Structures are given as structure tokens and as C-alpha cells.
Amino acid sequence: MTVNRRTFLGASVAAAATLQAPAVLGAGKPRVVVVGGGAGGATAARYIAKGSKGEIDVTLVEPSRSYYTCFFSNLYIGGFRELSSIAHSYGTLASQYGINVVHDWAVGIDRDARTVTLAGGAVLPYDRLILSPGIDFVEGAVEGWDVSAQNKMPHAYKAGSQSELLKAQIEAMPEGGTFAMIAPPNPFRCPPGPYERISMVAHVLKEKNPTAKIIVADPKPKFSKMALFQEGWGNHYDGMIDWIGPDFGGDVVSVNPDAMTVTIDGEETKVDACNVIPAMKAGRICEMAGITEGNWAPVDGRTMQSRMDENIHVLGDACAQGDMPKSGFSANSQAKVAAMAVRAALTGSKMFPAKFSNTCWSLIGTDDGVKVGATYEATEEKIAKVDGFISQTGENAELRQATYEESIGWYAGITSDMFG
Amino acid sequence: MRFWGGTLIVWGALTGVAWADETAVQIGDAARGEQLFEQCAACHQVGEGAEHGIGPHLNGIFDRKVAQFEDFSYSEGITRARRDGMVWDLEHLDAYLNNPKVLVSGTNMEFAGLKDPQDRGDVLAYLRQFSASPQDIPEAAPTALAEEFELPPEILAIVGDPDYGEYLSTECTTCHQVDGEYDGIPVITGWYEEDFVLAMHAYKEKIRPHPVMHMMAARLSDEEIAALAAYFGALE
């Protein structure tokens, strides 16, 4: 049965008043509310609905009707994908899986009453809550920048209009102009992401504005796939990219969005486009729920349950779980473990040992793809790495092309795994 | 009795048995192989003046990277194997002759396979006469055959738990699409269970090329591979 949004909301508000005992004890179908419709949340909602075959009532709360994946948004910036090709809607999850999709913001969580309050006023009761809200930015992380400056100096680290803005600004740079990126400190969403983005910016500039310069100020001495990126930058964009690590003041940075200047280690530079990627933290709803420790929400990797509330599971970028990188692939992998654990708790279905994996593909230039990946298992203490691999420097062009083509296949795979 | 042709050499390595050049034996009887080759000849030519037919000619195939002829139109599957760096050395030729689909998903080679290792050895001994590089005697890798090991029949006899397979499959479906769409990553639904089991063991033993699959298969137990085969085999 498919429940449309209006009837669902009406029913759930009425139910909130009467439903006191946990649904699992016999007061009707158990309810799962999922907050966030990205790689973690959409996957979890789909797997719970699919696996429970109607035994669990699943509600997915996601503000966007059109969801743009962060993964592959760099390829849009580089001109390898259309923006529309990374946009997805929730129609199939609603119509084929019977998920109640609610396009609204979750603005409050009452852990004692086990309810989620939405901006529109609805109150959703849950037996289990899954939070997969992605990231927010740490205030004051980059001196001179806050979110009110995100139109002048976009972060483009939540895909969609920010990606469009950044792409337009790169393409509008004057001949021989300067592009700057302020790279984030660890841990952050998509570890190779800033460096793939630099590659894509360089690709665009090399074609349209070959005398332009790229400056990267980075607080980290090392970054993901560093040798592969540096080799690729030398091969494709020799002399164009100036990466400034902490040894040369890349960690002492301020920006002035009104004057369009960047100051690195006391030296001010006028820039024509600037991508500020600030330090990150769990999506704010985690803080509001009171389940964060520092910037992130700690979880037990065996079930992805919050260490602070067993009725809440936290997925993806927002959680602190151990060794897995913050990536869409990781969130998708964690969602399946959480879905299994939620079903086991609410309907008594089988529980198997948690297994996780991740692979991150990055595009350096045309047909020049690289990848890094690992497998993981859950221990009592954390999600621990088991095995891994990484592309090698000096690989031949045919293998790099195959790696890129494989990433296109992966995109089709994971998005159909998320959205049905 | 079943033989696990594809992983003979690796099993030897894993179990501490010396590698091929110390335990080399003649790979087979070329004269008998010539007769057996008649069933291949409808598609493949070999020898002086050989040309491509339905399949490519087989002169010089030993120790050559797969799918190397620019004037032959290869399947997507074999092209991918080339990109992954697969080489037609003895162990890969042997595995391919045993069951082409197990080594290369999506190959155009419509051949059920030679199940008897002696048959394969004989055919390969015949083909080997038309490959320049490995004609040096005494035989050594890539042409020498190591001692044979059987895959314990109980591995192929394991009945997979499809429920467990369904859970395990969720790791696969991040990349491989359940509805069987092909967008650059191979289709894994609807395989015969035995082919699936053999292919996964071939990844686990690194006979099939591909680093992601080596990593994924490495931590799967025999029971888990059987469970995945049972689950995916039942999907349309």
C-alpha cells in the first residue's frame, strides 16, 4: 500500500497522541523514521522497507525533492557530467517500496517520547530512528568566512546550486586569473574530494583559460591519493597548481569574501574565484538530539547504534565509527548493517555479522581515473580496517580509462541501490 | 570427480608445494590435442596462414596479453580482462578452457569447457607449438604445469543459505545492479550457482584479475560464497 504524504501526516499526528507503548510490543506496526535521504538514509529506508515486506512502517524525512549526489558533483564542475545526471527523486521509494517520503526539515528530537518534530509542525513517533543528515560546517573554521559568504566563496560541498555557482565562477574568471581553494582539516566528507575538484578545475581552466593559476591552501601535510594526484597534476596540468601545505603556511589562512582576497601565512592574494571548504561536523540534528561527542556522533559499528541512545542509529558522514572514510559508499555500506539491525530488533529477523566496504574513485583528467578501497569489520570498539588497495602511480592509460569507466558503472549501481 | 583447473598453480603455492619450474611436467600430448582441437576449429584457426574467424586466430597466444588484435572485435568481457592486465599464460588458458564464463564474464566464447584436465593439457600442448616465446625446452612458467590439486568436492557441494546470501549481497549491489543493468560493471544475477562459486574462488585466489574483487572475495568464506551464489542465482 502506498500512503500519500497528506494522509500519512494526518495519521501520524493522531497516532502521536495515543501511541505510548512501543509498537513492537503489539500496538501496531513498528515505526522507523529516517532523517536524511542521501547515501545512508535512502539506502536504509529502502532496505528496511524491502526486507520487512510491509511489516515495518518506514518514513523518510528529506527536505529536497530533487537530491543531488555529492559524489560525481566534481565531474559536473569539470564538464564531464550534466547537473541533471546527478539529480534523483524519491518517487520509486514511495511508489514501489511503500516508504512515506516527507519533504520537510527535522527540527527537533525528543528521545524520551521517541518523536521527531518537523519544521512544518508534524510530530513523527518512532520505535527506531535513523539519522543520516550528512555534514554541517564548523563555525569560525576559516577566518573571515561564514555561511552568509557562501555565494561569494562557495563551499560546493553540498551538491546542487552550490556546485552550479562554483562552476559559473570558474568559467567567468578573467584570462590568467587565480582560483583558490581552502582545503579542510581531517576528518571531512570525501577525503579525495578536494583534490579531485582541483583536478576538475584545472581541466576546465586548461581548456578555457590556460594561463590561469590555482592555489590550494591545505592544513594537512598529506591527503588521500596524494602521490596519484600529484603525478596526475604534473602529467595534465604542469605548473598550473600550487599546493601549499602546512609547512608553508597552508594552515594559517583567512579570507575576505567582499574584497575577494585570500591571506596565506600573512601574504594576501587577490583571487577571482575561491572555494572555501571549512572544517566539518555532523549534521546539526545530531547535536540537537544530544548524541554528539565533539563534532561527530559516536556509534557502535556492529549495529550503527548511537553510543548514547540505543533507539537511534547514525549513518554516514555524521557518525564517528572508526576507520571508514566519510563517503557515500561508506554510508551506503553502513546503511545495510543498520537496516539489518533495525529489522532484527523490530521484527526478529536474522542478524548476521556486520561487514563493510568502501571504494572511492577519483577522476584526475580525461579518462584518467584512480581508486582506493578497503574492507572493514566491526569490533566492540570500532569499525576496523581489514584489507585495502590503491591504484598505483605509473599505471597505463588503458587501465586508468577502465577505472574511470568502472566508476560510471558504480554510480549507476549505487544510485539504483539508494533510490530503487 | 571434479578438478579445479583454474587454481592448480595457486593451490600449489598456498599449500607450500614448489612452483611450476621445479615440478614441471609435460603439459600434454600434442597429437591427441590436435584431434581434440577439431571441436574448436569451427571458430578458431591456428598454424601457418591462420586468420580470424568467429574467434581470433591462436598463433602466438601463449604469454600474450588477452585481446591484443586490433583487427578483431572482442566482447566487452574479454576487453575488460585485457584492461585488468590478464595474460594468456598457462593457468589462465587452462582456466578458460575449463569454463570460459567462469574466467571471463560476458565472453562471446560459447563453449561449455573441457572438464578433463588431460584434455585441456593436450589441447594446450598442441596450441603451444604455434607460440614462439614458450617453445624453449625444458618447460617453465608460463608453459609448465604444476602438480594438480583437487578443489575439495565438499566446497562445491556446500548448499548456500540464500537468506545469508541476501544480506551479503548488499555489499555487492553498491556496484553491481540487481536488475541486471550493465553500465560498466558486470552483471552478476542469474548465474549458474557452480559458475558463480568457481568465479568467486578464482577471485579469491587472484586467478581472475581485479583488485576490488580480490579484496571483496578474500574475506568470504566457502559458505559465504555458496550463500551468495544461491541468492544471486535465483534472481532473474
Side-chain angles (χ1 to χ4, degrees):
Chain A
M1 185 185 71
T2 304
V3 182
N4 72 31
R5 182 186 170 198
R6 185 170 300 140
T7 55
F8 165 70
L9 284 179
S12 63
V13 172
T18 55
L19 187 74
Q20 298 299 326
V24 69
L25 298 182
K29 271 192 201 178
R31 292 164 185 273
V32 172
V33 174
V34 182
V35 174
T43 306
R46 180 169 165 268
Y47 272 85
I48 292 169
K50 182 165 81 101
S52 69
K53 300 183 174 64
E55 283 181 44
I56 297 177
D57 195 50
V58 183
T59 301
L60 177 62
V61 180
E62 160 61 44
S64 310
R65 287 174 186 278
S66 240
Y67 180 86
Y68 292 90
T69 57
C70 242
F71 42 96
F72 272 33
S73 65
N74 282 333
L75 271 57
Y76 159 70
I77 290 171
F80 292 93
R81 298 282 286 213
E82 294 293 327
L83 192 62
S84 59
S85 79
I86 60 167
H88 302 271
S89 65
Y90 296 90
T92 307
L93 291 183
S95 64
Q96 288 196 14
Y97 295 91
I99 295 167
N100 311 302
V101 179
V102 180
H103 292 297
D104 202 345
W105 287 93
V107 293
I109 289 167
D110 183 335
R111 283 164 45 191
D112 294 327
R114 280 190 273 140
T115 58
V116 179
T117 304
L118 305 185
V123 178
L124 309 179
Y126 64 80
D127 296 298
R128 286 292 170 107
L129 173 63
I130 294 179
L131 294 181
S132 191
I135 50 113
D136 270 308
F137 299 116
V138 175
E139 283 168 36
V142 175
E143 192 187 330
W145 191 94
D146 63 33
V147 284
S148 70
Q150 71 175 9
N151 287 351
K152 287 174 177 155
M153 293 188 171
H155 53 77
Y157 236 63
K158 297 176 185 183
S161 57
Q162 276 279 301
S163 319
E164 279 185 293
L165 196 58
L166 184 63
K167 183 173 172 66
Q169 291 175 1
I170 294 160
E171 290 174 354
M173 282 170 56
E175 191 181 331
T178 300
F179 172 92
M181 171 188 279
I182 313 301
N186 289 325
F188 62 98
R189 159 181 284 182
C190 189
Y195 312 100
E196 179 184 59
R197 178 170 296 170
I198 286 299
S199 309
M200 294 296 95
V201 173
H203 173 78
V204 170
L205 293 176
K206 188 182 174 188
E207 286 189 350
K208 300 188 171 170
N209 191 348
T211 55
K213 292 283 175 206
I214 296 174
I215 303 170
V216 189
D218 203 324
K220 308 179 293 297
K222 282 184 179 168
F223 56 82
S224 174
K225 304 177 188 164
M226 187 168 183
L228 293 165
F229 279 113
Q230 290 185 332
E231 177 195 51
W233 292 348
N235 289 342
H236 299 290
Y237 320 113
D238 195 24
M240 188 180 242
I241 300 165
D242 187 10
W243 180 81
I244 303 167
D247 288 351
F248 296 90
D251 55 340
V252 188
V253 172
S254 64
V255 298
N256 184 334
D258 292 320
M260 283 305 284
T261 58
V262 171
T263 304
I264 301 170
D265 204 18
E267 189 180 329
E268 187 180 273
T269 306
K270 182 90 180 79
V271 297
D272 301 290
C274 185
N275 179 202
V276 176
I277 309 175
M280 296 172 202
K281 62 179 183 180
R284 216 162 67 85
I285 193 74
C286 292
E287 265 174 68
M288 291 160 71
I291 56 163
T292 53
E293 193 178 273
N295 286 335
W296 311 100
V299 295
D300 181 333
R302 293 171 297 183
T303 57
M304 301 307 294
Q305 276 165 301
S306 162
R307 299 268 187 198
M308 316 212 181
D309 186 335
E310 62 177 15
N311 294 316
I312 302 179
H313 302 246
V314 190
L315 305 180
D317 298 348
C319 72
Q321 32 67 22
D323 296 348
M324 294 183 82
K326 296 184 185 300
S327 73
F329 198 127
S330 293
N332 170 272
S333 177
Q334 293 159 11
K336 293 160 183 175
V337 169
M340 172 183 63
V342 165
R343 285 178 50 213
L346 298 182
T347 66
S349 65
K350 272 195 229 171
M351 187 80 189
F352 299 107
K355 288 184 185 238
F356 305 91
S357 55
N358 177 64
T359 301
C360 289
W361 288 266
S362 302
L363 186 62
I364 301 177
T366 305
D367 288 334
D368 190 359
V370 293
K371 61 187 171 186
V372 60
T375 53
Y376 305 85
E377 65 189 10
T379 66
E380 208 167 302
E381 178 204 354
K382 66 170 186 174
I383 297 180
K385 182 173 166 178
V386 176
D387 189 13
F389 70 89
I390 184 167
S391 295
Q392 302 298 304
T393 52
E395 285 173 345
N396 66 53
E398 193 176 45
L399 181 57
R400 291 296 178 87
Q401 184 183 348
T403 301
Y404 172 55
E405 286 170 4
E406 183 179 281
S407 75
I408 295 169
W410 163 75
Y411 187 88
I414 191 173
T415 51
S416 83
D417 204 35
M418 290 162 62
F419 298 104
Chain B
M1 180 166 299
R2 292 183 190 286
F3 292 92
W4 175 231
T7 56
L8 296 178
I9 290 172
V10 170
W11 274 80
L14 289 177
T15 50
V17 174
W19 268 72
D21 47 1
E22 290 171 46
T23 58
V25 292
Q26 293 291 324
I27 59 176
D29 175 351
R32 184 167 175 271
E34 185 173 6
Q35 290 177 350
L36 287 165
F37 188 77
E38 285 172 10
Q39 58 190 304
C40 318
C43 298
H44 291 285
Q45 298 182 21
V46 69
E48 197 177 337
E51 293 176 356
H52 301 321
I54 293 169
H57 77 71
L58 300 176
N59 290 347
I61 190 166
F62 273 82
D63 215 18
R64 189 170 65 206
K65 272 183 87 176
V66 305
Q68 286 298 295
F69 294 122
E70 289 184 4
D71 56 348
F72 186 80
S73 174
Y74 291 98
S75 67
E76 192 59 42
I78 201 87
T79 304
R80 192 170 49 246
R82 177 186 68 198
R83 288 166 172 170
D84 288 334
M86 201 167 94
V87 172
W88 285 131
D89 55 21
L90 187 70
E91 61 182 319
H92 286 96
L93 283 168
D94 185 64
Y96 198 59
L97 276 186
N98 187 3
N99 186 337
K101 194 178 155 192
V102 160
L103 186 69
V104 181
S105 325
T107 178
N108 287 341
M109 186 154 126
E110 294 292 337
F111 183 58
L114 290 171
K115 299 306 167 196
D116 181 345
Q118 189 57 54
D119 288 351
R120 297 197 298 274
D122 292 348
V123 169
L124 291 171
Y126 171 66
L127 288 179
R128 189 177 156 280
Q129 298 174 336
F130 306 101
S131 285
S133 58
Q135 275 185 342
D136 49 331
I137 305 288
E139 293 183 78
T143 62
L145 194 66
E147 283 183 26
E148 290 184 4
F149 292 83
E150 292 173 34
L151 182 74
E154 56 267 29
I155 291 182
L156 282 166
I158 296 169
V159 177
D161 170 359
D163 284 350
Y164 191 25
E166 181 171 8
Y167 165 62
L168 293 169
S169 77
T170 63
E171 277 213 299
C172 315
T173 54
T174 302
C175 299
H176 298 273
Q177 297 179 59
V178 175
D179 60 8
E181 286 287 310
Y182 174 82
D183 285 292
I185 288 187
V187 175
I188 56 170
T189 53
W191 282 50
Y192 291 112
E193 285 185 39
E194 185 176 308
D195 287 355
F196 191 101
V197 169
L198 290 168
M200 288 304 290
H201 279 280
Y203 280 122
K204 191 169 176 173
E205 307 299 351
K206 297 185 165 58
I207 294 284
R208 276 187 166 222
H210 200 272
V212 176
M213 289 307 301
H214 290 168
M215 183 180 79
M216 300 306 292
R219 66 169 173 170
L220 293 173
S221 68
D222 298 339
E223 288 74 18
E224 289 171 331
I225 288 174
L228 281 168
Y231 173 70
F232 279 120
L235 291 182
E236 289 297 314

